[in-house]
Amino acid sequence: MRSFRSQQDPECGIVTTGIPGQIEELNLDPSAPILPVQRTGRESISRFLRSETGKGWLTISPPLLYAMLLLIGPIIVIVANSFWSQDYLTIDRTFTLENYRAALTEPIYRDLLMRSLFISVTVAFVTVVLAYPIAWFVSFYGGRYKGLWLFIITVPFWSGYLLRILSWKVILGYKGVLNTGLMHLGVITEPLSSLIYNVNAVIITLAHSWAAFAILPLFVSLEKLDRSLLEAAADLGDGPVRRFLRITLPLTIPGIIAALMIVMIPTVGDYVTPKLVGGKDGVMIANAIQVQFGRASNWPLGAALAVSTMIIVSLVAGTIVLALAGLKRLLK
Amino acid sequence: MTTSPMIEIRNVDKNFGTFRALDTLNATIGEGEFFSLLGPSGCGKTTLLRMIGGFDDPSSGEILIGGRSMAGIPPNLRPTNMVFQSYAIFPHLNVAENIAYGLKRLRLGRAEEEKRVKEALDQVELSELGPRMGNQLSGGQRQRVALARALVMRPKVLLLDEPLSALDKNLREQMQVELRHLQRQIGITFVLVTHDQYEALSMSDRIAVMFGGQIAQIAEPKEIYQNPATRQVADFLGGMNFLTSSHLSVNGKNFAATLPGIGDITGHLAGKTISDPAKAIIGIRPERLRIVWEGETADPIVTGKVADRNYFGEVTSLAVNIEGQNQHLSIVETNDFGADDIPVGSDIRITYDRDAFIVMQG
């Protein structure tokens, strides 16, 4: 093996022409150093650019560049602001942690943040629980109408975001569709005032607004599920419920995580829905941030609130992802 | 096979819309039998297997397993287990968990469950792979895990849907031997779906050959090969020279015919009834024809010219034009005597075994 290698590999220091008697350069000294191939910097850069990885980076660099600029830029501005302070219209650029102290210890902000997290996590789970059966139905029973079903699901999104929220006002309002309908049926004698201007109204409206965003990733992960796995599970004795819990659910966890995150993360920062249907009990942290950047004119405090929210949301999101990944291991 | 019946298929039809996938199938598969469903793709063999497993329902007719009608019984309640063509290994579980999947429901207790899993792993020679994840296995390993996962349930019937078609040739041949061995060892009924005639011939106790949703013949491998019921069966299993005769006569258990360029031949009907001799066809396998080398004598003798030659390693196939006739004969000859060196265009003499001719309904 050794001799075979040395004839094959010129870097071993032995170069033969393969014809006996015509060995041009023979170095049999085993201690002879193996000369490393010297490459210039320019050579290695051009080599990198010609490699698959290099080509990949080259292809994505223009969008990557502007995405980074547009993403990182504002974040830097916000983070920088959060360590400054403002006196009416002038920004004092001396480093201070006062904004964070206020953001994290003032009861009003703490309550708003907790409520926002509660609302967004609840909305995410409610949306996913409601969206899963729809995605499941379309994927398993959509047949050749799958495309049509997905199209129908996106139809509400043709109207504006505000219109969707306002339509919930029409449904849930004091003299709204639900109240008048229930009164007409004789279920209630006077309109319920508990339907709108509270946390529940915010949750219902947001869950509806984000439904399609949850259905699509769930649909994709259900589509990817190999149907023969379900047949195999049936063959091995599992009825429909066990098949769902042991095969469908664990294998669609990635879709569930994606749907939860897609819904949860943006809803924390929503301030239009709470403003329109939340009343005073439905105010969320984003409303407070908006006020700081607007009427209260305290950008640094607003920035500190935004950064704190961002970090806490990331932590909550991470915890949910880890918990679901753990759940996947448990479902066997 | 004279054992008691395990699976009875009675007048089973299957329609997909207006397409008739299965047409009045009848078959009885014995206990402990290795039964193959053989046919080209689209002949309905997989549909029939899936019906036995409960994944499809017959449009009419019924299937009995162990004497019990299976109508309306879902797969999870049938005494069958299946090895899927795609193997359907659960990717989120490791090998041991895959095999234990069906056992969990039986609540055997941890010790018994582990014992059975270990036995199953040993049986398919995967003892080392228990902790490997389902999506990190090679094709052969997946096949073995699928087999172990089904066998560990101790089914009365094991259904195999083209289990070897995804494997390369050497592994496939090795697994054929192992599967046959395993079936004899555990003694349960195996129903194998395959489109590979050699696989069916080498592994099965009996074969059902299917074409276009119908069973053309059910018989033991040797019978199927030596005495195919129809031209289609003969054509699907190995090579066959088909010869037509204007003078075919049936006489008791024998037939006689005059073949142009070959002469008068006779043969056994071998249990077949030829209802319309005018449409019957006579056949002889290429390996039942032999070259008569120079200096040899033989009787009978057919003379002709070599029209084509194909080399297959251990054998050579020759196409011979019978002298004065518009008729090709295909011959397969071992290369021991130099059949691979016969030049195309040369004269050749052929002889045949007098009992080698068979007759089929066309």
Side-chain angles (χ1 to χ4, degrees):
Chain A
M1 193 62 209
R2 170 71 200 158
S3 63
F4 181 70
R5 249 186 79 88
S6 57
Q7 283 179 8
Q8 290 288 308
D9 191 349
E11 282 192 9
C12 281
I14 300 166
V15 179
T16 71
T17 56
I19 303 163
Q22 290 203 351
I23 298 167
E24 288 167 347
E25 191 183 80
L26 191 58
N27 185 352
L28 288 173
D29 182 1
S31 66
I34 296 165
L35 291 174
V37 181
Q38 295 286 336
R39 290 205 184 95
T40 65
R42 187 178 294 172
E43 241 180 276
S44 61
I45 287 172
S46 80
R47 269 175 74 92
F48 173 74
L49 289 181
R50 269 183 281 119
S51 70
E52 279 297 309
T53 335
K55 279 181 194 162
W57 280 105
L58 216 59
T59 314
I60 65 157
S61 6
L64 185 70
L65 209 66
Y66 78 68
M68 292 304 254
L69 279 175
L70 295 179
L71 192 73
I72 304 281
I75 288 181
I76 290 173
V77 170
I78 293 288
V79 171
N81 261 293
S82 72
F83 293 109
W84 297 337
S85 54
Q86 187 169 7
D87 182 18
Y88 190 47
L89 286 178
T90 50
I91 297 272
D92 179 2
R93 293 201 166 83
T94 43
F95 179 83
T96 173
L97 287 172
E98 175 56 25
N99 298 314
Y100 283 99
R101 193 203 56 77
L104 296 171
T105 58
E106 295 263 352
I108 170 80
Y109 299 132
R110 227 173 38 204
D111 288 355
L112 284 180
L113 187 58
M114 290 316 285
R115 182 191 290 159
S116 301
L117 285 173
F118 168 76
I119 290 177
S120 60
V121 171
T122 311
V123 166
F125 277 94
V126 167
T127 312
V128 167
V129 167
L130 293 177
Y132 201 101
I134 300 172
W136 187 80
F137 173 82
V138 176
S139 175
F140 279 75
Y141 298 103
R144 56 205 181 92
Y145 299 112
K146 272 179 195 168
L148 183 67
W149 277 110
L150 292 178
F151 172 76
I152 290 170
I153 286 164
T154 59
V155 163
F157 288 80
W158 294 12
S159 66
Y161 178 54
L162 280 174
L163 267 170
R164 285 200 302 280
I165 301 172
L166 290 170
S167 66
W168 276 103
K169 257 181 128 155
V170 172
I171 296 169
L172 299 171
Y174 189 74
K175 288 189 174 171
V177 178
L178 201 57
N179 268 330
T180 49
L182 288 174
M183 277 168 71
H184 193 74
L185 290 171
V187 181
I188 50 173
T189 50
E190 57 181 89
L192 297 168
S193 56
S194 57
L195 287 178
I196 198 165
Y197 303 127
N198 54 28
V199 172
N200 294 338
V202 176
I203 291 174
I204 291 171
T205 309
L206 284 173
H208 172 252
S209 293
W210 290 93
F213 294 95
I215 291 170
L216 292 176
L218 290 171
F219 172 76
V220 169
S221 70
L222 282 163
E223 280 291 282
K224 273 168 58 186
L225 180 69
D226 182 357
R227 300 300 190 264
S228 71
L229 297 178
L230 294 173
E231 289 192 337
D235 186 65
L236 293 166
D238 276 357
V241 176
R242 283 174 155 272
R243 286 204 289 274
F244 176 77
L245 291 175
R246 297 177 75 188
I247 304 294
T248 313
L249 195 56
L251 288 175
T252 50
I253 289 270
I256 294 174
I257 290 176
L260 282 175
M261 294 303 121
I262 283 178
V263 177
M264 191 198 112
I265 293 170
T267 48
V268 181
D270 192 359
Y271 65 93
V272 180
T273 308
K275 203 159 193 169
L276 291 176
V277 299
K280 72 173 169 50
D281 294 337
V283 178
M284 288 168 72
I285 190 75
N287 299 98
I289 296 171
Q290 186 214 359
V291 167
Q292 295 306 326
F293 279 94
R295 263 172 305 166
S297 264
N298 192 349
W299 280 40
L301 180 55
L305 284 169
V307 172
S308 311
T309 308
M310 203 163 75
I311 290 168
I312 290 167
V313 168
S314 307
L315 291 175
V316 172
T319 312
I320 292 175
V321 171
L322 288 179
L324 285 175
L327 179 72
K328 185 181 171 183
R329 290 298 304 160
L330 280 181
L331 292 167
K332 280 177 184 170
Chain B
M1 276 284 148
T2 51
T3 54
S4 56
M6 174 54 75
I7 303 172
E8 289 160 78
I9 296 156
R10 293 183 181 165
N11 298 316
V12 165
D13 292 328
K14 178 71 182 178
N15 303 316
F16 292 113
T18 55
F19 173 67
R20 200 162 179 78
L22 296 179
D23 190 6
T24 342
L25 299 188
N26 279 288
T28 303
I29 301 169
E31 200 176 330
E33 188 175 10
F34 197 127
F35 192 87
S36 292
L37 299 170
L38 174 68
S41 52
C43 72
K45 56 193 192 298
T46 297
T47 307
L48 179 58
L49 190 81
R50 289 174 58 82
M51 278 183 188
I52 299 172
F55 300 102
D56 274 319
D57 295 319
S59 300
S60 66
E62 66 172 349
I63 294 173
L64 285 79
I65 300 177
R68 246 176 85 219
S69 169
M70 287 290 126
I73 297 182
N76 46 321
L77 301 177
R78 294 196 181 197
T80 58
N81 280 109
M82 180 124 135
V83 176
F84 291 83
Q85 187 172 12
S86 64
Y87 306 141
I89 303 297
F90 304 127
H92 59 305
L93 304 179
N94 68 28
V95 168
E97 288 163 346
N98 259 284
I99 293 171
Y101 188 94
L103 297 177
K104 289 270 188 263
R105 195 183 39 92
L106 303 180
R107 304 197 184 286
L108 299 167
R110 173 171 274 210
E112 172 68 11
E113 186 184 303
E114 278 175 5
K115 193 177 130 239
R116 282 222 212 166
V117 170
K118 197 185 166 303
E119 277 172 12
L121 279 170
D122 289 344
Q123 207 163 32
V124 296
E125 293 165 16
L126 286 180
S127 320
E128 311 298 314
L129 286 186
R132 182 84 64 91
M133 287 307 283
N135 53 7
Q136 297 170 342
L137 301 171
S138 72
Q141 289 165 344
R142 294 167 72 79
Q143 199 270 334
R144 283 161 195 260
V145 174
L147 189 63
R149 189 177 67 181
L151 286 176
V152 80
M153 301 303 292
R154 299 184 182 165
K156 287 183 181 166
V157 178
L158 185 70
L159 307 171
L160 302 116
D161 185 5
E162 309 228 8
L164 307 177
S165 61
L167 308 180
D168 62 60
K169 186 169 175 288
N170 287 338
L171 189 56
R172 190 163 68 229
E173 282 169 0
Q174 181 197 338
M175 286 308 296
Q176 283 172 8
V177 175
E178 281 182 32
L179 262 183
R180 184 73 183 120
H181 185 75
L182 197 65
Q183 192 267 341
R184 291 226 173 95
Q185 188 190 327
I186 55 182
I188 63 168
T189 306
F190 275 36
V191 183
L192 172 84
V193 158
T194 181
H195 61 259
D196 182 333
Q197 65 267 35
Y198 296 108
E199 196 169 294
L201 289 172
S202 66
M203 293 166 81
S204 324
D205 291 318
R206 281 192 310 154
I207 301 171
V209 187
M210 292 178 70
F211 293 104
Q214 292 178 317
I215 294 176
Q217 188 174 12
I218 301 181
E220 291 174 21
K222 210 170 155 180
E223 174 74 7
I224 294 253
Y225 186 78
Q226 292 186 345
N227 191 23
T230 68
R231 179 179 182 147
Q232 265 182 318
V233 175
D235 215 11
F236 194 71
L237 284 109
M240 177 73 90
N241 290 301
F242 294 107
L243 306 160
T244 46
S245 164
S246 47
H247 309 289
L248 179 76
S249 61
V250 174
N251 177 18
K253 290 180 175 176
N254 300 310
F255 68 94
T258 308
L259 298 172
I262 296 173
D264 293 338
I265 58 114
T266 55
H268 297 290
L269 285 176
K272 274 184 276 206
T273 49
I274 301 298
S275 50
D276 184 3
K279 283 186 182 166
I281 213 160
I282 291 164
I284 185 166
R285 294 278 183 201
E287 68 272 16
R288 302 299 298 271
L289 293 164
R290 285 193 320 278
I291 297 171
V292 180
W293 299 98
E294 224 162 297
E296 277 184 318
T297 51
D299 179 52
I301 277 202
V302 179
T303 55
K305 266 191 164 51
V306 176
D308 197 9
R309 189 183 72 193
N310 284 299
Y311 178 69
F312 291 105
E314 73 273 34
V315 295
T316 291
S317 163
L318 299 172
V320 174
N321 256 343
I322 302 174
E323 202 166 76
Q325 302 295 328
N326 188 20
Q327 173 84 54
H328 274 295
L329 276 182
S330 172
I331 310 173
V332 172
E333 185 79 71
T334 59
N335 290 331
D336 304 352
F337 305 106
D340 48 334
D341 289 328
I342 298 175
V344 172
S346 61
D347 291 323
I348 193 166
R349 292 184 303 156
I350 303 165
T351 186
Y352 52 84
D353 301 323
R354 283 179 193 277
D355 65 346
F357 285 97
I358 55 170
V359 67
M360 291 153 283
Q361 195 68 63

